[in-house]
Amino acid sequence: MLFSESAIPVVDILLGGRASSVLMARAFPNSRFVGFDYHAPSIERARKAAEGAGVGANTRFEVATAKTYPGAYDLVAFFDCLHDMGDPTGAATHVHGSLKPDGTWMIVEPFAHDHLAANLNPVGRVYHAASTFLCTPASVSQEVGLGLGAQAGEARLRKVVTGGGFKRFRRAAETPFNMVLEARP
């Protein structure tokens, strides 16, 4: 059965109230989407966006962190947020516990090579600058404070994800700007 024909539960960890839940709910109207963010005003913006886009029937938004959201899901999605978390391994552990046995964790992160020299290109330089001023300080200000930053690279992300209990990890796709990673129990 195609994903678009299925009625699966999906969680989207928002971290900023982005439109990812709304976009997925439009594309897959038979599935049920729930978005979580620790920031209540972002949740309010997401609710309004879902209603405005006509997907309020298959989406809901609640306040919770990546380590405390409730439920069991077939798909957990993190869009450009794992590297900003103070305790990404703790989040990975929680995701592992919230996935159904055949579930998938989709992680979209900024594209980065594992070694600094390979990231010294126009995109890598922008990501390093943004990471220095936004991503890393956000992470180190939180519990654990790992400070992955936007240029973590696949090897460091793999270590975080497998540290959370995942046995299968792969790069499913990439662009010059993002890596799409798949983790399975």
Side-chain angles (χ1 to χ4, degrees):
M1 179 179 294
L2 296 173
F3 176 68
S4 61
E5 297 170 352
S6 311
I8 69 166
V10 178
V11 66
D12 183 14
I13 302 301
L14 297 171
L15 294 177
R18 292 176 290 226
S20 51
S21 296
V22 170
L23 292 172
M24 289 188 294
R26 278 179 149 162
F28 305 104
N30 294 328
S31 291
R32 297 171 315 283
F33 296 85
V34 59
F36 293 106
D37 195 307
Y38 63 86
H39 186 246
S42 293
I43 292 297
E44 288 305 315
R45 280 195 311 273
R47 287 175 180 156
K48 289 177 185 171
E51 288 301 322
V55 295
N58 67 331
T59 59
R60 70 180 171 85
F61 300 94
E62 303 295 333
V63 175
T65 71
K67 290 175 30 176
T68 63
Y69 67 85
Y73 302 92
D74 289 308
L75 176 66
V76 175
F78 277 41
F79 290 97
D80 195 28
C81 64
L82 186 64
H83 68 273
D84 290 321
M85 295 178 184
D87 185 10
T89 304
T93 300
H94 187 74
V95 171
H96 188 272
S98 75
L99 274 178
K100 293 182 178 180
D102 60 344
T104 300
W105 182 17
M106 178 178 62
I107 309 154
V108 180
E109 282 289 302
F111 183 89
H113 296 282
D114 292 324
H115 302 287
L116 175 63
N119 293 319
L120 299 179
N121 56 60
V123 173
R125 288 180 173 130
V126 169
Y127 283 170
H128 271 289
S131 183
T132 300
F133 289 103
L134 181 64
C135 306
T136 303
S139 175
V140 299
S141 72
Q142 300 170 46
E143 173 191 20
V144 179
L146 185 60
L148 283 175
Q151 294 287 268
E154 186 174 342
R156 288 188 73 201
L157 294 168
R158 176 185 301 273
K159 184 176 179 181
V160 163
V161 170
T162 58
F166 286 87
K167 303 294 183 223
R168 295 179 284 170
F169 178 91
R170 72 179 184 102
R171 185 184 305 193
E174 67 181 62
T175 72
F177 301 100
N178 294 102
M179 293 183 287
V180 180
L181 307 168
E182 175 189 48
R184 299 184 59 121

